């Protein structure tokens, strides 16, 4: 079952690419650099795992609330606790954790809502 990559996912990749280019050219937009990229991280991570599972490995899997919540915890632990201890390039920030959480909850809300709508149409 091959599916197309979501336009939202591609838009997120484009946003990250723009942020990288701006940073390399010395342009820093505080809210976008600091928190927007973290806000879209969990939705992009969850979507990428879903895409790999379904399109590349042939499963029929959808992320649920527990998966999204553990993704938030995993990414928060990795990028806000562990990486800052290993490299000075990373900084631990509670607002980044909040951005992961909000992004995950927005993704969860829209995914669960779309799953519910599809289920009702099937019934």
């Amino acid at each position: 079952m091959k599916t197309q990559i979501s336009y939202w996912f591609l838009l997120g990749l484009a946003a990250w690419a723009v942020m990288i280019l701006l940073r390399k050219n010395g342009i820093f937009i505080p809210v976008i650099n600091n928190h927007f990229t973290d806000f879209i991280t969990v939705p992009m991570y969850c979507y990428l795992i879903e895409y790999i599972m379904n399109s590349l490995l042939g499963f029929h899997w959808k992320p649920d609330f527990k998966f999204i919540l553990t993704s938030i915890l995993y990414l928060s632990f990795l990028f806000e606790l562990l990486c800052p201890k290993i490299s000075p390039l990373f900084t631990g920030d509670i607002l980044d954790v909040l951005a992961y959480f909000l992004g995950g909850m927005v993704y969860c809300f829209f995914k669960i809502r779309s799953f519910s709508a599809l289920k009702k149409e099937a019934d």
Side-chain angles (χ1 to χ4, degrees), residues 1 3-4 10 16 38 40 51 59 63 66 72 76 82 97 117 120:
M1 170 176 116
T3 58
Q4 290 183 332
L10 294 175
W16 264 334
D38 295 324
I40 65 173
Y51 182 81
F59 292 95
K66 287 190 286 187
I72 293 166
S76 296
L82 187 60
V97 174
K120 285 179 185 178

Side-chain angles (χ1 to χ4, degrees), residues 1-17:
M1 170 176 116
K2 294 280 183 188
T3 58
Q4 290 183 332
I5 293 181
S6 165
Y7 292 116
W8 289 108
F9 182 77
L10 294 175
L11 186 62
L13 287 179
W16 264 334

Side-chain angles (χ1 to χ4, degrees), residues 35-56:
H35 305 298
F36 177 72
T37 52
D38 295 324
F39 178 77
I40 65 173
T41 297
V42 172
M44 291 186 63
Y45 173 83
C46 291
Y47 175 80
L48 183 61
I49 298 296
E50 179 182 0
Y51 182 81
I52 290 169
M53 293 287 289
N54 296 334
S55 296
L56 302 179

Side-chain angles (χ1 to χ4, degrees), residues 12-117:
L13 287 179
W16 264 334
V18 167
M19 294 290 35
I20 290 168
L21 288 173
L22 290 174
R23 288 176 190 165
K24 288 195 181 279
N25 291 314
I27 300 169
F28 185 79
I29 304 168
V31 172
I32 293 174
N33 268 330
N34 293 339
H35 305 298
F36 177 72
T37 52
D38 295 324
F39 178 77
I40 65 173
T41 297
V42 172
M44 291 186 63
Y45 173 83
C46 291
Y47 175 80
L48 183 61
I49 298 296
E50 179 182 0
Y51 182 81
I52 290 169
M53 293 287 289
N54 296 334
S55 296
L56 302 179
L57 300 177
F59 292 95
H60 186 68
W61 178 82
K62 298 288 182 196
D64 59 2
F65 179 74
K66 287 190 286 187
F67 179 80
I68 294 169
L69 186 60
T70 55
S71 297
I72 293 166
L73 294 173
Y74 167 71
L75 292 169
S76 296
F77 172 76
L78 180 65
F79 291 116
E80 304 306 320
L81 291 175
L82 187 60
C83 287
K85 292 181 187 292
I86 296 171
S87 170
L89 297 175
F90 293 91
T91 57
D93 183 2
I94 193 69
L95 293 177
D96 289 346
V97 174
L98 180 62
Y100 293 138
F101 179 77
L102 291 175
M105 292 301 101
V106 167
Y107 182 77
C108 184
F109 173 75
F110 284 108
K111 290 302 270 186
I112 288 175
R113 198 167 115 193
S114 68
F115 294 154
S116 298

